[in-house]
Amino acid sequence: MIRNSLISGNRQNGVLISGLAIHDSRVVSNFIGTTAAGSAALLSIDFQTCLNNPQLALGVFIKNGAANNVIEANLISGNCSGVVIDASGLTAPYNDTTARRTYNQVLGNQIGTDSTGASLVPNQMYGVLINNASNNAVASTASGTGNVISGNFYAVAIKTTNQQIAARDNQVMNNQIGTNAAGAELGNSHTGMLLSGFLTGTAISGNVVANNPSNGIKLSTVSLPTNPNGPQYNFLQNNTVSNNGNNGIFMESGAIGNTAQSNTALGNGNWDLIDDNYNASSCPNTWITNTFVKAGGLGKSCIQ
């Protein structure tokens, strides 16, 4: 366990958890990337530097199949990226089309703010990035596990890069994305939540996603080449997506067979809900009992 420590000024990793033999570690109640007071970043870095060096200054880096680790109640700010979970190059033991199932949890952290949660201390790239990994959780249904994720370029991103391997069954639940814990406006600097690549079974539920200058939740997902028109089964439910500069919930062309149910999307700059797919015989995604004002895209007639 790493607990109650100041872990800052690192140009590579604050906390590195790496390898299949490493599991069940806990990182709890630390300041990672900030000054001792938690009021500012200790390391001076900018967006372009972080963009050019994707493994520079990571607050917590879980990689190479490290599993069942818990990142809880930390302040993770002032880094290039806050928490990165990356299982690139690994697949599930009995399924070579599934990214490695790593079961890591990110619970109750402040990611991109100061220690009070009132001001921003940005992570320049990602608040939380899950890359080529399955079965990880950014909070859960349990009380007190929600994270505050504000002040980042992308607050939360789940991505894959290998065209033959899907990341499955990750979840993002009950987080404050673009606000503080009380719901006051903070924002991120681009997108609240990005799902990109070959993803299936992702559960996005109960989050507040607000005040982001681009999209609130954007699905840029695609189906595996073995079934290019197959459903992806990602599920968005009971999220409040409001006051984002572009769209609220955006299903981009290629995102098919997903469900958006009982979300509230209001006051977004362009469309509250947008489905940019078109299928003449049926709806490409399922939209059920959502609350919204403005719907757009080629598949807008399917939105309800």
Side-chain angles (χ1 to χ4, degrees):
M1 177 182 287
I2 301 173
R3 188 182 186 97
N4 296 335
S5 298
L6 174 65
I7 306 168
S8 297
N10 304 288
R11 293 196 65 84
Q12 190 166 13
N13 308 301
V15 177
L16 174 63
I17 303 172
S18 177
L20 293 171
I22 307 301
H23 52 82
D24 299 296
S25 300
R26 295 180 65 87
V27 179
V28 181
S29 299
N30 303 283
F31 283 15
I32 303 174
T34 72
T35 60
S39 58
L42 189 60
L43 190 65
S44 178
I45 47 178
D46 59 30
F47 176 83
Q48 193 62 48
T49 299
C50 295
L51 182 65
N52 293 340
N53 301 275
Q55 293 193 5
L56 177 72
L58 305 182
V60 179
F61 191 15
I62 303 173
K63 69 174 187 173
N64 294 335
N68 295 98
N69 304 290
V70 177
I71 312 303
E72 185 174 10
N74 302 281
L75 175 65
I76 308 174
S77 302
N79 309 283
C80 279
S81 292
V83 179
V84 176
I85 299 168
D86 193 329
S88 295
L90 300 172
T91 59
Y94 306 108
N95 187 341
D96 61 6
T97 66
T98 296
R100 184 84 182 189
R101 301 182 187 275
T102 52
Y103 302 100
N104 296 293
Q105 300 180 73
V106 181
L107 310 175
N109 302 281
Q110 292 178 207
I111 302 175
T113 73
D114 68 358
S115 59
T116 70
S119 299
L120 299 178
V121 180
N123 295 297
Q124 297 292 328
M125 291 293 295
Y126 298 98
V128 179
L129 170 62
I130 299 171
N131 192 47
N132 298 311
S134 299
N135 292 87
N136 299 281
V138 183
S140 72
T141 57
S143 176
T145 63
N147 303 278
V148 170
I149 310 175
S150 297
N152 313 280
F153 191 75
Y154 293 109
V156 178
I158 305 174
K159 304 170 68 175
T160 63
T161 54
N162 189 310
Q163 293 189 357
Q164 307 298 327
I165 300 172
R168 302 178 186 271
D169 304 322
N170 293 294
Q171 69 178 41
V172 183
M173 295 186 170
N174 300 318
N175 300 283
Q176 300 289 131
I177 297 173
T179 76
N180 68 9
E185 179 177 345
L186 288 175
N188 291 280
S189 59
H190 194 271
T191 296
M193 199 179 306
L194 173 66
L195 277 62
S196 176
F198 302 96
L199 306 180
T200 185
T202 314
I204 308 297
S205 180
N207 302 282
V208 172
V209 186
N211 313 308
N212 303 291
S214 185
N215 298 293
I217 301 175
K218 181 178 180 180
L219 271 67
S220 296
T221 52
V222 291
S223 303
L224 284 170
T226 51
N227 187 11
N229 294 312
Q232 295 155 16
Y233 300 117
N234 299 300
F235 191 53
L236 286 65
Q237 182 181 38
N238 294 330
N239 300 286
T240 299
V241 187
S242 61
N243 299 318
N244 296 287
N246 194 5
N247 302 299
I249 298 175
F250 182 12
M251 301 277 192
E252 197 170 39
S253 180
I256 56 176
N258 304 294
T259 298
Q261 181 173 357
S262 300
N263 301 284
T264 298
L266 297 170
N268 298 287
N270 191 11
W271 305 107
D272 292 320
L273 303 176
I274 176 170
D275 193 332
D276 219 11
N277 294 274
Y278 178 75
N279 187 310
S281 60
S282 63
C283 292
N285 296 289
T286 301
W287 301 82
I288 307 171
T289 61
N290 297 284
T291 300
F292 63 97
V293 172
K294 300 174 292 183
L298 297 170
K300 67 180 178 181
S301 63
C302 299
I303 296 173
Q304 58 177 291

